Amino acid sequence: MLPSSAWSTKNGSKPPYKDPQPSQPNTHQTQSSLSLSKMAFSLLLIKFIVAGLSMAAFVAGNFNGEVEITWGNERAKVLNGGQLLTLSLDNYSGSGFQSKKEYLFGRIDMQIKLVPGNSAGTVTTYYLSSQGPTHDEIDFEFLGNVSGQPYTVHTNVFAQGKGNREQQFYLWFDPTTAFHTYSIVWNPQRIIFMVDNIPIRVFNNNEAIGVPFPKNQPMRVYSSLWNADDWATQGGRVKTDWTKAPFTASYRNFNANSNSTNSQTTEAWQTQELDSSGRNRLRWVQQKYMVYNYCSDSNRFPQGLPRECKRPRFLR
């Protein structure tokens, strides 16, 4: 999504399966019944193997079946039989894709390896969004920087067409040398942004005090890589070095676990919240790596900070 301003842009696990044991024949069991018993067990085992393979395919995700390229032509590529997707940016165009399905609540995971080297001016986005002037949106955006300087992870939440709820972070690792998992947990109570399963931000449902919350509009998953050197890096002071093009970001293991894709009603994401360990990790991230918080920007809100800003910083 192309921005109108610098601020408006664009497991849970289950119990392990224990193989059923075939019943032992008694002294009166015939060879025929034993063969039938073995056959029944073999069919049962095959059934579970097939089910396990299906679940593995669901968890790993396959871009051929899950997403469609929306722009950039050959700059967006699905590789390795659908297990890898790359987006590229050159001085003519960026590229992007979107999910084929819409989701109303769920947990969305994506492993991303960001543009390496001098990525100044580039923005890699990964977000959920509905459509229209009163759209809802949940954003991860990765703002590139000159070599050796950290990426800025920009997060935002839109509800009913209004955003202005940005928090920004540095990461505690180099996101360009390996894949890392970026997750959005979205349920009726809260939105949790996570990096490698570590929460970096929580946006709670504060409708009780008049704060809009995205809960009625299904959203698709979007991702793009594009040039935003008018604002992305150090407020636009550092421009894109096109001699380094093409810039490439890589994606794998897209997983969308939602009521829209899974009929089960006991998934952990539906009521997920932070336990004491999660809250401690969240405080650690926000104390050490947060570089911007809209709730601390009184100059931006001369009429008063948003209502949710009165809540504890780590649980807004």
Side-chain angles (χ1 to χ4, degrees):
M1 178 180 297
L2 299 181
S4 59
S5 72
W7 297 112
S8 175
T9 71
K10 262 220 226 271
N11 36 40
S13 59
K14 297 181 179 179
Y17 169 69
K18 184 177 181 179
D19 289 338
Q21 299 299 316
S23 57
Q24 297 298 319
N26 58 36
T27 56
H28 303 290
Q29 192 170 21
T30 66
Q31 185 67 33
S32 175
S33 63
L34 180 59
S35 297
L36 289 173
S37 176
K38 288 182 177 179
M39 182 179 296
F41 170 67
S42 297
L43 290 173
L44 181 63
L45 187 59
I46 291 171
K47 178 180 178 181
F48 277 103
I49 290 173
V50 171
L53 290 173
S54 298
M55 180 59 72
F58 172 78
V59 171
N62 188 295
F63 288 111
N64 283 323
E66 298 288 346
V67 308
E68 55 189 359
I69 306 302
T70 51
W71 62 289
N73 299 319
E74 72 284 354
R75 295 172 185 83
K77 298 178 181 179
V78 178
L79 306 168
N80 298 348
Q83 299 304 308
L84 178 69
L85 187 152
T86 61
L87 295 180
S88 293
L89 164 70
D90 57 33
N91 57 339
Y92 293 100
S93 177
S95 51
F97 66 88
Q98 69 180 38
S99 64
K100 293 181 178 180
K101 297 177 182 178
E102 294 182 318
Y103 310 100
L104 183 61
F105 305 121
R107 172 169 175 152
I108 311 296
D109 300 290
M110 186 81 77
Q111 290 191 324
I112 307 174
K113 182 163 59 174
L114 296 174
V115 175
N118 185 350
S119 58
T122 71
V123 173
T124 306
T125 70
Y126 157 55
Y127 61 101
L128 294 169
S129 183
S130 60
Q131 298 299 308
T134 59
H135 75 290
D136 296 336
E137 187 171 317
I138 304 170
D139 291 340
F140 267 114
E141 298 184 88
F142 305 92
L143 314 184
N145 216 329
V146 293
S147 298
Q149 297 297 314
Y151 265 79
T152 298
V153 180
H154 176 100
T155 67
N156 201 358
V157 176
F158 285 73
Q160 300 172 23
K162 296 181 179 179
N164 298 327
R165 291 182 167 89
E166 302 87 355
Q167 289 183 356
Q168 294 183 339
F169 307 85
Y170 291 147
L171 293 169
W172 49 95
F173 54 84
D174 183 346
T176 72
T177 59
F179 285 93
H180 292 269
T181 304
Y182 303 91
S183 306
I184 297 170
V185 174
W186 172 37
N187 60 41
Q189 295 81 39
R190 63 193 57 84
I191 297 164
I192 307 174
F193 296 79
M194 294 192 294
V195 177
D196 291 336
N197 224 34
I198 295 175
I200 66 169
R201 178 180 183 179
V202 176
F203 185 83
N204 282 312
N205 185 337
N206 284 305
E207 289 180 307
I209 59 172
V211 179
F213 186 84
K215 67 174 187 178
N216 297 316
Q217 301 185 73
M219 297 193 266
R220 294 185 190 275
V221 180
Y222 295 87
S223 189
S224 60
L225 174 57
W226 49 281
N227 178 49
D229 65 3
D230 58 332
W231 67 270
T233 304
Q234 299 180 29
R237 292 190 297 274
V238 182
K239 302 300 181 181
T240 303
D241 182 356
W242 293 112
T243 67
K244 307 297 184 183
F247 305 96
T248 302
S250 302
Y251 301 75
R252 70 181 187 188
N253 290 347
F254 168 55
N255 180 37
N257 194 347
S258 166
N259 283 336
S260 304
T261 58
N262 192 332
S263 61
Q264 297 183 25
T265 59
T266 57
E267 297 293 338
W269 62 262
Q270 293 183 324
T271 57
Q272 186 168 340
E273 59 184 352
L274 300 188
D275 57 15
S276 59
S277 175
R279 290 192 294 271
N280 287 337
R281 287 184 168 192
L282 182 64
R283 289 189 185 96
W284 173 75
V285 172
Q286 296 203 346
Q287 289 171 0
K288 288 185 173 291
Y289 298 101
M290 178 180 279
V291 294
Y292 178 83
N293 183 7
Y294 73 107
C295 280
S296 301
D297 195 347
S298 56
N299 291 331
R300 190 172 167 206
F301 301 100
Q303 304 303 317
L305 295 172
R307 295 180 182 182
E308 70 271 17
C309 293
K310 297 178 182 179
R311 303 294 173 93
R313 182 176 76 173
F314 59 92
L315 291 175
R316 283 166 181 155

